[in-house]
Amino acid sequence: MSDFWERHGIAVHLRWGFVALTLLMIGDGIESGFLSPYLDERGFGSGQVSLLWTVYGFVVAIAAWLAGALAEAFGPRRVMLVGVAVWVVFEIAFLAALAQGAFAWMLVSFGVRGIGYPLFAFGFLVWVATDTPERARGRAVGWYWFFAILGLGVLSSYYAGLVIPVIGELATLASSLAFVVAGGLMLVFLVRARPSDPAASGAGLRSILTAVTIVVENPRVGVGGVVRVINTLGFYAFVVFLTTFMVRDVGLSTAQWQTVWGTMLLANILANCVFGYVGDRFGRVPTVAWCGGLACAISVPAFYYVPALLGPNFWAILVVAVVYGAALSGFVPLSAILPSLAPRHVGSAVAILNLGAGISQFLGPAVAALVVPIGVAGTLWVISGIYVVGIALTHLLRTPTAPDAAPPQDVEVATPERTAS
């Protein structure tokens, strides 16, 4: 059985970690679909709600960046446990502040809680990247993103939709604690380091500094971070204008567009693990460049030209969305490429990936706001052009020892962060 897990890129001692990750991401994602309207019903203004999410997003971006460095310094398991503790303590504080209507305390507790899930989720990503043999790392990170997004974007939404009519919004928010605690307990009792793993170095400050300096010492890691920004920049830009365009101008109903959007995310989840295998088999850099960058560059303008040619054709637009959702997963091998570029600083490399994801979430809406005045078609072409730039940058990530060069044997990295406790 152990050979089965290893063959699919899942280290045997980490297999329950993927389940724990899913549980924690369910708990963290329960609120995403209804918290804003619920706060509106409770009398909080749109400005307050926006400020709450802005502070939260900023903290998440910084914590995601630091998670890799901290996992490298102190061991992923310790960092993940701290993440669980922070999440639980400040979620309880947030619920208490919400029940009292104390916005200032809500802002503080919700913001600090944003430290929790990145420490857990991205600490585990470092663990996966470090404890997986080189040849199977693409599959491993593919499964990582599959389980993470399954919990955060799919199961959490279904769960909230089922239980809110029964127990109400506040109790549903409180129930998220059960999922996070369950994930933490699973980490404590079922996920262990390999007995042969060395102890963590404890070089905290040095590792955190490396998460900053690595882009100078190893410019390819910085390039990989830029490609990660490009990966989801279009997705976050779409949030600003694409829904309005499809409903108001194209003529889809809101329900139809929600179905399109949800199916796009489902395609993304399923393709996450697929492109992990594709990258390991055919090369990770080509997979990112062509299955990710080129497919995104082609499918993005199609959101305008397909309805321009066929009108509000639900099925045709759905096909475009599925292609784009799958193409976003073509970038999954980045999570294997960057650790390979910096085998002695896997945590720092993952930190740059995480920082790129956070920057993408900020830049996407900003790019859309800047170029939307030129029209939807022009905006989509600008985004498409950015993906083309990403193709060129991706080819800079090739190295003589990269998986694409077909190394003769597995390379298993032995670094300080491989310890769990």
Side-chain angles (χ1 to χ4, degrees):
M1 181 59 73
S2 62
D3 290 341
F4 171 83
W5 293 112
E6 298 282 358
R7 191 165 57 249
H8 289 281
I10 297 177
V12 175
H13 63 291
L14 297 181
R15 64 188 186 276
W16 286 108
F18 290 89
V19 182
L21 173 69
T22 306
L23 289 171
L24 183 128
M25 297 304 268
I26 290 173
D28 190 74
I30 284 172
E31 68 203 13
S32 59
F34 72 90
L35 181 59
S36 293
Y38 176 62
L39 293 177
D40 180 71
E41 292 176 3
R42 293 288 299 267
F44 296 98
S46 58
Q48 290 176 305
V49 175
S50 298
L51 178 61
L52 190 76
W53 284 112
T54 300
V55 170
Y56 177 79
F58 177 78
V59 173
V60 166
I62 298 301
W65 172 52
L66 289 175
L70 293 173
E72 186 170 19
F74 303 109
R77 192 164 182 269
R78 286 195 185 100
V79 171
M80 292 168 70
L81 289 172
V82 170
V84 171
V86 169
W87 202 99
V88 169
V89 169
F90 285 94
E91 173 69 359
I92 293 172
F94 173 71
L95 291 172
L98 175 59
Q100 297 172 11
F103 180 75
W105 286 109
M106 289 168 56
L107 189 64
V108 171
S109 56
F110 194 66
V112 177
R113 200 206 74 185
I115 298 172
Y117 108 76
L119 292 185
F120 188 100
F122 297 125
F124 186 60
L125 178 57
V126 172
W127 204 349
V128 169
T130 306
D131 276 25
T132 303
E134 171 62 42
R135 66 177 176 81
R137 194 174 285 160
R139 280 162 276 176
V141 297
W143 283 115
Y144 168 88
W145 288 112
F146 173 86
F147 284 109
I149 299 174
L150 177 68
L152 185 66
V154 178
L155 296 180
S156 61
S157 297
Y158 288 144
Y159 170 80
L162 287 172
V163 303
I164 285 175
V166 179
I167 63 177
E169 289 89 342
L170 187 60
T172 300
L173 287 172
S175 70
S176 63
L177 288 162
F179 290 97
V180 175
V181 169
L185 291 174
M186 189 169 287
L187 173 65
V188 170
F189 293 108
L190 297 178
V191 186
R192 296 288 179 180
R194 296 178 182 180
S196 59
D197 284 349
S201 66
L205 179 60
R206 187 174 62 206
S207 294
I208 293 171
L209 289 176
T210 302
V212 178
T213 61
I214 192 171
V215 297
V216 177
E217 298 166 359
N218 192 337
R220 284 192 178 92
V221 173
V223 172
V226 174
V227 176
R228 179 62 185 88
V229 173
I230 292 172
N231 175 193
T232 47
L233 187 142
F235 174 80
Y236 290 118
F238 284 173
V239 174
V240 174
F241 70 94
L242 197 60
T243 298
T244 301
F245 170 69
M246 286 294 178
V247 174
R248 185 189 65 192
D249 300 331
V250 173
L252 291 181
S253 69
T254 300
Q256 285 178 317
W257 176 245
Q258 289 299 311
T259 300
V260 169
W261 189 262
T263 306
M264 180 179 75
L265 294 176
L266 178 61
N268 175 257
I269 292 169
L270 296 176
N272 275 333
C273 55
V274 171
F275 282 115
Y277 285 83
V278 171
D280 283 346
R281 176 65 179 85
F282 298 104
R284 294 167 191 161
V285 168
T287 299
V288 173
W290 307 122
C291 300
L294 182 61
C296 283
I298 293 172
S299 56
V300 164
F303 278 106
Y304 178 83
Y305 290 102
V306 166
L309 292 172
L310 302 177
N313 187 311
F314 170 78
W315 294 106
I317 295 170
L318 183 67
V319 169
V320 174
V322 167
V323 172
Y324 179 70
L328 288 174
S329 297
F331 289 85
V332 156
L334 275 176
S335 297
I337 292 172
L338 262 67
S340 298
L341 293 175
R344 297 182 62 185
H345 298 290
V346 171
S348 298
V350 172
I352 296 302
L353 274 174
N354 299 340
L355 181 62
I359 292 174
S360 180
Q361 191 167 354
F362 284 112
L363 277 187
V367 168
L370 286 173
V371 298
V372 158
I374 70 175
V376 171
T379 301
L380 291 172
W381 276 115
V382 168
I383 295 171
S384 177
I386 293 173
Y387 280 116
V388 172
V389 172
I391 296 173
L393 292 176
T394 300
H395 287 291
L396 298 178
L397 303 180
R398 290 184 182 274
T399 66
T401 57
D404 307 301
Q409 59 189 12
D410 294 350
V411 178
E412 192 165 351
V413 181
T415 57
E417 71 272 16
R418 296 187 63 170
T419 188
S421 59

